[in-house]
Amino acid sequence: MSVTKENEKTFVGTYGTFKVNSHPNHQRLYHLVIEKDSLLAFLTENQLVNAQQLEYVPYMRLVLSQSLERHLGSSFSDTVRSILHDRNTGGFTVGMQGLTQNYDEYIKFSTALSHLIGGVNFDAMSGTYYARFTVKDTDESDSYLRQAYRRFTLHTDGTFVDEPTDWLLMMKFAEENAKGGESRLLHLDDWEELDHFSKHPLASCRIEYKAPASKNVVQNVYNETFFEHNGKPCICFIDQFAHPTTMQQAVYLKNLSESMENSKNTIDLPLPVGDLVMVNNTFWLHGRAAFERNPELHRELLRQRGYFARV
């Protein structure tokens, strides 16, 4: 990987109510540890807020976010924003540290955090601003999302919606009888064949994306596979929903996906229950390793995705 030792130290440190550590499983990621008293104070102050209220009254999400910032300080907001915008890093994990196993409190914490970053996309699959979904032994869904025993190939989110999807948050709610199924992550700058595919004549060709029925999105969108931001290549890709119109486009996308899957820098990231991972969706690709078969397999995740504040 091309991350430097100097960069590794950019955000590492103690900030009063939280610490930023280098992540033990990935050279580019950070792991944030919030002071337990501060996290408990946030949960206690908002104990009467529930998930339904957050769905029905949108401004309560921002009120909740302000509460988190008040308890952790503005340095927390500044730090998580800076990490996500930093091309060399662009991601972190953080968790509840065993203080609660209440799903409403997981939703409140993840919502408060995401609204420090910017706006949250409407998730048509769930009909609100976040989605909760399970992975289990049997499934008849129309995408890889819930299919436990196959690898969920590397991709970015938001490919089939007509709105920016700058960041992605995934939080693990529950897990039982699960072996395997780790989050798979690849930072674009660690991909050995980035130059070849990002400079290919078809890199800027607009590809049609169509969502399956379960996504509840009927609008088709057209996206370039690679685009530039701050002088660096960014990517928009998922193999399942791309509908290229020529054989050349199809072969290009197939080769691109296979190259990423075979990258030695694609890392399996363990994520404990109650922890979340948040990454910049424009230069991090994510997927999931296959689970080992178990008829009692159960995992539940929460997803939020959205755009950076434009201020």
Side-chain angles (χ1 to χ4, degrees):
M1 299 182 188
S2 57
V3 64
T4 65
K5 288 184 178 180
E6 180 182 355
N7 180 71
E8 284 186 81
K9 300 176 182 177
T10 301
F11 299 104
V12 169
T14 301
Y15 295 78
T17 60
F18 66 99
K19 293 181 180 178
V20 179
N21 300 321
S22 295
H23 199 284
N25 298 106
H26 201 295
Q27 190 176 358
R28 288 190 183 271
L29 293 176
Y30 293 96
H31 179 65
L32 279 60
V33 181
I34 298 172
E35 182 184 70
K36 287 186 176 181
D37 286 348
S38 299
L39 187 52
L40 280 171
F42 164 75
L43 295 174
T44 300
E45 181 175 274
N46 297 286
Q47 59 186 323
L48 298 182
V49 178
N50 59 51
Q52 185 182 74
Q53 185 180 17
L54 294 174
E55 293 174 23
Y56 288 3
V57 187
Y59 69 70
M60 281 302 300
R61 306 166 200 168
L62 291 165
V63 171
L64 199 68
S65 191
Q66 184 188 52
S67 172
L68 183 66
E69 185 176 63
R70 186 168 63 252
H71 287 288
L72 300 187
S74 60
S75 61
F76 180 78
S77 306
D78 294 341
T79 301
V80 293
R81 290 181 195 130
S82 296
I83 289 173
L84 290 172
H85 281 280
D86 184 356
R87 175 73 182 212
N88 286 315
T89 58
F92 62 88
T93 59
V94 65
M96 306 301 291
Q97 303 178 61
L99 294 178
T100 179
Q101 296 180 334
N102 182 289
Y103 289 2
D104 261 22
E105 293 188 332
Y106 287 177
I107 292 170
K108 285 186 279 189
F109 176 70
S110 61
T111 297
L113 175 59
S114 65
H115 284 74
L116 292 177
I117 307 304
V120 178
N121 296 154
F122 176 76
D123 199 309
M125 187 176 81
S126 64
T128 186
Y129 71 95
Y130 67 89
R132 282 173 59 180
F133 52 90
T134 58
V135 180
K136 55 186 180 179
D137 180 57
T138 57
D139 180 71
E140 297 180 358
S141 66
D142 54 8
S143 77
Y144 296 157
L145 181 65
R146 296 183 175 90
Q147 295 183 16
Y149 303 127
R150 64 161 296 141
R151 177 187 286 182
F152 191 179
T153 45
L154 291 166
H155 62 282
T156 59
D157 266 31
T159 55
F160 53 81
V161 296
D162 189 19
E163 56 188 339
T165 307
D166 297 327
W167 55 262
L168 170 71
L169 181 156
M170 299 286 289
M171 187 172 192
K172 186 178 290 185
F173 272 32
E175 186 169 74
E176 298 171 6
N177 305 302
K179 196 168 185 180
E182 296 86 1
S183 298
R184 302 174 63 241
L185 294 171
L186 176 64
H187 190 288
L188 204 56
D189 294 343
D190 295 331
W191 179 25
E192 299 87 343
E193 295 191 277
L194 172 61
D195 280 352
H196 169 73
F197 285 99
S198 64
K199 295 176 181 177
H200 192 281
L202 293 175
S204 59
C205 177
R206 292 172 67 81
I207 302 294
E208 183 179 18
Y209 281 89
K210 301 178 183 179
S214 66
K215 306 299 183 184
N216 298 321
V217 176
V218 295
Q219 181 184 17
N220 298 346
V221 299
Y222 295 82
N223 288 311
E224 297 178 353
T225 304
F226 287 94
F227 59 99
E228 191 173 288
H229 181 67
N230 291 334
K232 295 280 190 176
C234 297
I235 190 168
C236 177
F237 171 74
I238 186 169
D239 58 355
Q240 299 171 73
F241 312 137
H243 288 257
T245 56
T246 69
M247 291 182 288
Q248 291 81 4
Q249 291 172 4
V251 170
Y252 168 73
L253 294 179
K254 177 179 181 292
N255 291 341
L256 176 149
S257 181
E258 290 178 349
S259 174
M260 292 188 299
E261 293 299 320
N262 292 325
S263 172
K264 64 181 178 62
N265 291 320
T266 298
I267 303 297
D268 288 352
L269 183 78
L271 191 69
V273 171
D275 275 25
L276 64 83
V277 58
M278 195 168 192
V279 295
N280 188 309
N281 187 60
T282 68
F283 54 78
W284 276 99
L285 295 119
H286 66 282
R288 187 189 64 229
F291 289 92
E292 292 187 16
R293 288 193 175 273
N294 189 318
E296 303 301 321
L297 170 66
H298 173 79
R299 173 186 284 178
E300 183 170 359
L301 296 174
L302 172 143
R303 175 186 67 207
Q304 293 184 50
R305 53 196 179 194
Y307 51 91
F308 292 130
R310 308 285 196 251
V311 293

